[in-house]
Amino acid sequence: MQKSRSIYLLIAIVSFFTLAIVQIYLVFHMFELQNDQYNLPEKKVIKESYEDAIANDNLFPGAGKIVDRYIEGSNLLHLEQLYRTDSAAFHAYRQRMLDSTVKTLIARNNIDSLLQLIITRNKLNPQLRYALLLVAIDVAFESNKYMPLYDREQVYPLLDKRIQSKLGIRIGGTLQGLSKHSSITSLTLSSLRAYSYRIQFALYVDTPHRKLAILKMMWPVLLLSIFSIAGVVALFFVTYLNWLRQRKLSDMKSDFINNITHELHTPLAAIIVANKSLRNEKIIDRKENIVSLTEVIQRQSERLHRLITQVIDLTACNEITLHKEEQAVHRLLDEMLLDFRLKYTDAQIDLCLEANATRDIVWLDTFCFTTLIFNLLDNAMKYNIHERKKIKVTTRSNKKHLEISIEDNGIGICADTQKHIFDKFYRNTKPLPVKVKGLGLGLFYVKQCIEAHEWELLVWSQPGKGTTFTVTIPLPQ
């Protein structure tokens, strides 16, 4: 069972993770699709308006003149001279040119007002934020032969490190988390003539909480995915628990069949052997042999009868039909204890009844009540390792109830086992100091009888000190 349960669990876990991965994959791709389409009309309007505003210019309106002032003319000629004569001075001067250009561009940046105008004019989302980046600047001393003045892969010590990134130098804007989804445009402006430059810049516009907004749009899909996965998990656990119950019941039934087969075969085999012996002329010549064999047949027949009765009771006790009649409990107990003593004539047993109850007349089903008491007395004998076994039956009463207690000096019942002793077919699997055969039905019958009469049953037990069962019966008012 352990192996099959492990295989079942493994298959279920693999199936669950496969389903979860498929769900995550589908949700992720839906998120990406929504991400690609998010604010697409707004991006198109901003792109067209921005490119119109910087026609024949770069970065922002007026930025072209700033770049021309620092990079073209005498500065570019001086840079060429240093390039050809002094490498160290060339790198230092190139950094100063870049530093001056960037600082002036940042100081003169007017994209804030331009973007606000575009938003107002086209009634766009007022929460839109932007980032304007300088991506690259190359200079040419000869026609169409460029060399980098600024390379975004490098870090320039004269510039603030906070504005430098792998995407470029931030000229303006507060938008963070830049990606292709927030990119509005990326432009490159160049000239084919000598002593010119090539510049690349990019504008990003987006809402500050883009992913959260997309997730809000997707909440029905997300909820359905979560509920579907949760439903599968819940269904799995319910199915698994039911499977365990069914498997346990199946195992208990198998154990019952094996036990009852063994129990039935034992007395039946003894009867068959005794019967064959009675046919042997050498054996039956002596009268004492016949008496002995008939006693064997009698005892084993009674045992077989009890086993068959137990099997029948197993079916009958599922739906007990009570035939109640008014009975004196003390009289019934006297009769039962007498029969019980005759059953265990060979055992050393101290069996006594303390009839302390002042009222003992109750309504009950005699057969069920007798089954209940005999099963409790049988357990008191079977689960007892003392040479002299002590069983005390005590009755007490008050205005409303009659109590019957059966106390023994047996091996006792541990707390874990007490939780299951009334279960059908339950057999304690822990090692016991006494070996007891049975079907695990005795206390199940007791519970069925108690519930059918709507009585109460309490158990007190301590390992090594014995057990006390107390039956509480309502008195007729």
Side-chain angles (χ1 to χ4, degrees):
M1 177 177 177
Q2 183 66 32
K3 185 177 180 181
S4 61
R5 183 168 63 180
S6 299
I7 294 172
Y8 182 87
L9 274 174
L10 180 62
I11 294 173
I13 291 171
V14 170
S15 302
F16 167 72
F17 276 107
T18 303
L19 175 63
I21 290 170
V22 170
Q23 287 276 11
I24 293 170
Y25 178 82
L26 293 175
V27 171
F28 174 77
H29 277 270
M30 183 176 182
F31 178 86
E32 286 296 305
L33 180 62
Q34 292 285 352
N35 204 7
D36 290 336
Q37 299 296 324
Y38 184 70
N39 280 344
L40 196 61
E42 293 186 342
K43 290 170 66 175
K44 184 177 180 181
V45 170
I46 295 171
K47 175 182 172 66
E48 292 175 353
S49 301
Y50 171 71
E51 290 179 354
D52 288 343
I54 62 165
N56 302 318
D57 211 328
N58 53 56
L59 287 133
F60 54 83
K65 294 181 180 180
I66 296 173
V67 179
D68 290 346
R69 182 177 28 155
Y70 288 104
I71 296 179
E72 287 194 335
S74 59
N75 287 333
L76 193 54
L77 292 172
H78 183 60
L79 183 65
E80 181 190 17
Q81 182 182 2
L82 294 175
Y83 174 73
R84 300 185 187 284
T85 58
D86 189 342
S87 177
F90 164 76
H91 289 296
Y93 190 71
R94 182 176 63 171
Q95 288 198 43
R96 289 198 298 272
M97 286 177 61
L98 178 62
D99 178 61
S100 300
T101 304
V102 169
K103 287 181 179 178
T104 307
L105 287 172
I106 292 174
R108 301 287 181 85
N109 173 37
N110 56 22
I111 289 293
D112 294 88
S113 56
L114 175 61
L115 183 61
Q116 188 60 46
L117 180 64
I118 295 172
I119 290 173
T120 304
R121 182 181 298 166
N122 295 281
K123 298 180 180 179
L124 304 180
N125 186 353
Q127 293 185 346
L128 289 173
R129 300 291 181 267
Y130 81 96
L132 179 62
L133 301 184
L134 176 62
V135 179
I137 299 180
D138 302 322
V139 294
F141 303 131
E142 299 178 24
S143 177
N144 206 28
K145 292 184 178 181
Y146 292 99
M147 60 178 297
L149 182 70
Y150 163 66
D151 183 359
R152 59 183 174 175
E153 297 296 329
Q154 299 181 14
V155 177
Y156 294 86
L158 294 180
L159 296 174
D160 189 343
K161 290 183 179 180
R162 292 174 296 180
I163 65 173
Q164 299 183 69
S165 70
K166 293 293 184 180
L167 294 176
I169 298 173
R170 184 181 289 264
I171 302 301
T174 59
L175 181 64
Q176 302 297 324
L178 308 182
S179 67
K180 65 177 184 177
H181 298 106
S182 57
S183 176
I184 296 295
T185 184
S186 180
L187 299 173
T188 301
L189 302 178
S190 62
S191 173
L192 297 178
R193 61 184 175 83
Y195 298 103
S196 62
Y197 64 86
R198 179 174 60 191
I199 185 169
Q200 183 181 358
F201 54 95
L203 177 67
Y204 296 82
V205 178
D206 206 347
T207 55
H209 306 293
R210 177 190 184 91
K211 292 182 178 179
L212 183 60
I214 295 173
L215 290 175
K216 286 182 178 179
M217 293 168 57
M218 292 177 57
W219 72 265
V221 176
L222 291 174
L223 285 180
L224 285 174
S225 298
I226 293 171
F227 283 142
S228 63
I229 293 176
V232 169
V233 173
L235 183 63
F236 161 71
F237 276 111
V238 171
T239 304
Y240 180 67
L241 291 175
N242 286 334
W243 179 77
L244 285 180
R245 292 192 196 98
Q246 294 296 327
R247 187 64 184 265
K248 184 178 179 180
L249 182 60
S250 175
D251 290 343
M252 288 192 300
K253 287 181 178 179
S254 298
D255 291 341
F256 168 73
I257 292 172
N258 294 333
N259 288 334
I260 196 65
T261 301
H262 172 76
E263 293 291 334
L264 289 173
H265 279 167
T266 302
L268 191 59
I271 292 171
I272 292 172
V273 170
N275 184 58
K276 286 183 178 179
S277 298
L278 286 175
R279 295 179 183 179
N280 190 325
E281 294 181 357
K282 294 180 180 180
I283 295 176
I284 62 176
D285 285 342
R286 300 177 62 183
K287 185 178 180 179
E288 59 270 21
N289 289 339
I290 297 175
V291 174
S292 176
L293 290 172
T294 55
E295 287 178 351
V296 170
I297 294 173
Q298 178 65 27
R299 286 196 303 271
Q300 296 304 323
S301 298
E302 290 177 356
R303 183 181 176 190
L304 189 61
H305 178 264
R306 286 197 304 271
L307 289 171
I308 294 171
T309 303
Q310 281 187 318
V311 176
I312 295 172
D313 288 345
L314 175 62
T315 304
C317 280
N318 286 328
E319 293 184 6
I320 294 178
T321 302
L322 298 179
H323 301 283
K324 290 185 178 182
E325 53 188 348
E326 194 175 63
Q327 292 284 2
V329 170
H330 288 161
R331 181 183 58 80
L332 289 176
L333 289 175
D334 280 331
E335 293 175 357
M336 282 186 280
L337 294 186
L338 177 61
D339 293 344
F340 192 77
R341 288 189 184 93
L342 293 174
K343 180 180 178 181
Y344 290 97
T345 53
D346 296 334
Q348 297 184 36
I349 176 174
D350 289 339
L351 179 61
C352 64
L353 170 64
E354 292 186 3
N356 298 326
T358 56
R359 297 176 61 191
D360 71 326
I361 305 299
V362 296
W363 284 86
L364 51 78
D365 183 296
T366 306
F367 174 78
C368 274
F369 179 73
T370 305
T371 303
L372 185 159
I373 298 300
F374 268 127
N375 274 301
L376 294 179
L377 293 173
D378 275 334
N379 278 359
M381 286 293 296
K382 289 190 295 185
Y383 295 95
N384 198 317
I385 59 175
H386 291 89
E387 185 176 351
R388 191 162 196 85
K389 300 169 175 54
K390 297 180 180 180
I391 305 175
K392 183 169 71 173
V393 181
T394 307
T395 66
R396 293 176 293 272
S397 65
N398 54 33
K399 293 181 179 179
K400 294 184 178 181
H401 300 98
L402 167 67
E403 289 185 357
I404 304 172
S405 296
I406 299 177
E407 179 184 354
D408 63 60
N409 64 337
I411 63 174
I413 310 170
C414 67
D416 290 338
T417 303
Q418 287 185 42
K419 300 175 183 176
H420 306 286
I421 57 174
F422 297 107
D423 295 345
K424 186 188 291 186
F425 304 121
Y426 177 75
R427 300 282 294 158
N428 191 353
T429 57
K430 297 179 181 179
L432 296 175
V434 59
K435 188 173 182 181
V436 178
K437 290 184 178 181
L439 304 175
L441 296 173
L443 291 179
F444 171 73
Y445 295 145
V446 171
K447 179 186 175 184
Q448 293 293 91
C449 293
I450 292 292
E451 291 180 349
H453 282 89
E454 297 182 352
W455 296 344
E456 291 183 5
L457 177 64
L458 296 178
V459 182
W460 176 92
S461 186
Q462 190 171 350
K465 293 188 177 181
T467 304
T468 302
F469 288 90
T470 302
V471 181
T472 303
I473 305 172
L475 288 169
Q477 300 301 314

